[in-house]
Amino acid sequence: MMTALRERAIVSSRSAPSRPRHVRIQYDPVRQAFAVLSPEKVFWPNEVSLDILRRCDGQSTVERIIADLAADYDADAQDVAADVIAFLQEWSDKLLVKL
């Protein structure tokens, strides 16, 4: 049996990432933390990761997400860019973010 390989999506500044329908963010009152739920998996992202995910609305480009985060965290956009791109690429590879 052969498995079809999908082409790897690559993050670009013009990508407008979104969360697939099967991925949702939910608050866990027991742990007092937000979890990212997908079929059969739970992720416990940190605050910055949550900020990135919340901006994955299919409208905002990666460039806009980076600019907004840099402003919110009073950081240099170039410093923020590498982390945002690496995060989105990793989550895209795991099929948790669509590019």
Side-chain angles (χ1 to χ4, degrees), residues 40-72:
E40 301 180 24
K41 293 199 180 192
V42 178
F43 300 89
W44 299 97
N46 63 28
E47 183 181 331
V48 176
S49 298
L50 273 172
D51 280 350
I52 296 169
L53 287 172
R54 286 186 177 120
R55 288 172 164 86
C56 292
D57 57 11
Q59 303 296 312
S60 301
T61 63
V62 171
E63 187 174 47
R64 166 63 32 216
I65 292 169
I66 290 167
D68 289 349
L69 287 169
D72 287 355

Side-chain angles (χ1 to χ4, degrees), residues 7-54:
E7 191 170 321
R8 182 183 190 212
I10 303 296
V11 177
S12 81
S13 62
R14 293 183 311 274
S15 300
S18 63
R19 290 189 316 269
R21 243 182 294 147
H22 69 273
V23 176
R24 60 190 167 92
I25 298 171
Q26 183 172 312
Y27 186 74
D28 181 344
V30 174
R31 291 188 188 218
Q32 295 187 344
F34 283 94
V36 175
L37 308 176
S38 71
E40 301 180 24
K41 293 199 180 192
V42 178
F43 300 89
W44 299 97
N46 63 28
E47 183 181 331
V48 176
S49 298
L50 273 172
D51 280 350
I52 296 169
L53 287 172
R54 286 186 177 120

Side-chain angles (χ1 to χ4, degrees), residues 55-97:
R55 288 172 164 86
C56 292
D57 57 11
Q59 303 296 312
S60 301
T61 63
V62 171
E63 187 174 47
R64 166 63 32 216
I65 292 169
I66 290 167
D68 289 349
L69 287 169
D72 287 355
Y73 286 93
D74 195 24
D76 184 86
Q78 286 186 325
D79 295 338
V80 171
D83 291 338
V84 169
I85 290 168
F87 174 84
L88 290 173
Q89 188 63 63
E90 178 184 340
W91 280 57
S92 171
D93 291 346
K94 293 178 180 178
L95 304 178
L96 298 168
V97 169

